[in-house]
Amino acid sequence: PLALKTYPFLPSIKTSNMTNTKGVRRGTRYMFARDFRKRGPLALKTYITAYKVGDIVDVKGNGAVQKGMPYKAYHGKTGRVYNVTKRAVGVVVNKRIKNRYIAKKINVRVEHIKHSNSRKEFLERAAENDRRKVEATKAGVRGITEELKRKPKAPKEAEFVNFSNNEPIVVHPLKFEFLA
C-alpha cells in the first residue's frame, strides 16, 4: 500500500515504498510464459533430440523448467553448439553491447534450445543446385551457373481486360440506417 509522506514545503504527496525491481528475471512475465494450450509436461522429443558440435540452434527459455535457463538477454538468439554434456549444451551466441557484437559462451539445458531453421532453405537450394549440375554434366551442357543463381521476382506480365462478357460493376457505399 501507499505510504503517506508529507513534505513541509509541498502539499501532501503520496509516495510509494516500493523500489525498482532488480531481479535476474525482471521483465520476463510474457517472455518465459508458456504459450496458450502448450502447458503441462514437455514432449519427449525435447529430450530425445541429439545435438552435435557445430549445430545451429535457437535459444528460447522454457518457463516450465527453471534449471539451466538462459539469461533473458539470450532469449530468441541463434548460436552454434561448441560443447555437449549429458543434460546441457554449450552455445556460442553473439551479444550486442553498445556498438559492437561479442561472442558469448553460455551453457543451456536442452529444454531451452531447438535446432534452427535459418539454414534449412539454403541447404535445400544447395542440394538442388548440385543435382542440377550433375544432370547438366551428364547431358553435356556447360555454363549453367547463371541459371542456378537466385533472381529477384519479376513484375507481373501485362494483360488486357475483356469487357465483352465481363461487365464492370460500380461499387458504392450502403446507406447508413440507424438500428435501435
Side-chain angles (χ1 to χ4, degrees):
L2 293 173
L4 288 173
K5 201 174 196 181
T6 56
Y7 296 96
F9 53 90
L10 289 174
S12 63
I13 296 175
K14 291 181 180 178
T15 58
S16 169
N17 289 336
M18 299 174 74
T19 59
N20 293 336
T21 55
K22 294 176 175 64
V24 175
R25 286 183 62 169
R26 71 184 179 277
T28 62
R29 178 179 181 178
Y30 302 104
M31 184 185 289
F32 293 143
R34 304 284 278 133
D35 291 336
F36 178 61
R37 292 165 76 176
K38 296 274 194 306
R39 298 170 193 276
L42 300 178
L44 203 57
K45 181 187 173 193
T46 308
Y47 299 101
I48 292 174
T49 307
Y51 296 99
K52 294 180 287 216
V53 174
D55 285 353
I56 296 175
V57 294
D58 294 331
V59 179
K60 182 184 177 187
N62 188 336
V65 182
Q66 288 81 37
K67 274 191 171 184
M69 187 181 274
Y71 180 65
K72 63 181 181 177
Y74 303 108
H75 182 82
K77 298 282 188 284
T78 302
R80 191 176 290 272
V81 175
Y82 77 93
N83 184 27
V84 179
T85 61
K86 192 160 66 169
R87 293 182 188 88
V89 294
V91 183
V92 178
V93 181
N94 287 333
K95 184 178 181 184
R96 183 173 155 245
I97 298 174
K98 293 186 179 176
N99 62 343
R100 65 199 192 277
Y101 285 89
I102 296 176
K104 305 282 278 188
K105 289 184 174 182
I106 59 171
N107 292 312
V108 186
R109 278 176 80 111
V110 292
E111 293 93 337
H112 308 291
I113 62 168
K114 66 183 180 72
H115 280 110
S116 179
N117 291 328
S118 59
R119 277 176 57 90
K120 187 177 179 184
E121 184 185 343
F122 165 74
L123 294 173
E124 288 172 359
R125 195 165 46 83
E128 175 66 18
N129 286 350
D130 290 342
R131 188 187 60 76
R132 288 174 64 185
K133 282 179 191 174
V134 169
E135 288 177 1
T137 51
K138 284 182 182 174
V141 180
R142 294 177 63 87
I144 64 155
T145 53
E146 283 300 317
E147 297 172 22
L148 299 177
K149 291 182 180 178
R150 290 177 293 173
K151 293 175 181 63
K153 189 177 178 183
K156 289 183 179 178
E157 292 288 326
E159 59 180 89
F160 291 101
V161 179
N162 186 2
F163 288 117
S164 61
N165 58 358
N166 187 15
E167 285 295 318
I169 302 169
V170 178
V171 180
H172 56 85
L174 296 172
K175 184 181 177 184
F176 175 74
E177 293 181 20
F178 181 73
L179 300 173

